[in-house]
Amino acid sequence: RRASAGGAVLAMVSGIVTWIIFETFQESWPSQIPATVVSLLGMVIGSFCWPSKGKNNDKDRTQSFE
């Protein structure tokens, strides 16, 4: 299953917010680790909540190169 635009936006926003929170409170963990985990979860959850509209987008793209 491919990632969708909604999943990408959710991943970016949730990752940045998590990074800011961990940078602000200066936890003992490096802030990139929880931000990466949260953004990956955001990508998966967002892709399931907002799936891609077209299922044949890849076929259209590959046919234009042939």
Side-chain angles (χ1 to χ4, degrees), residues 7 9 18 21-23 26 40 59 64:
V9 171
T18 304
I21 289 171
F22 272 80
E23 282 289 320
Q26 297 179 354
L40 289 173
K59 289 181 182 177
S64 64

Side-chain angles (χ1 to χ4, degrees), residues 1-63:
R1 188 167 186 157
R2 292 193 176 259
S4 66
V9 171
L10 184 63
M12 287 187 289
V13 171
S14 63
I16 289 172
V17 168
T18 304
W19 178 75
I20 290 171
I21 289 171
F22 272 80
E23 282 289 320
T24 302
F25 293 122
Q26 297 179 354
E27 297 291 327
S28 60
W29 284 55
S31 58
Q32 290 87 359
I33 293 172
T36 302
V37 171
V38 169
S39 71
L40 289 173
L41 287 173
M43 178 66 79
V44 172
I45 292 169
S47 293
F48 282 116
C49 290
W50 298 288
S52 297
K53 300 270 182 191
K55 293 183 179 181
N56 295 328
N57 289 340
D58 290 337
K59 289 181 182 177
D60 294 338
R61 276 186 249 158
T62 56
Q63 287 177 354

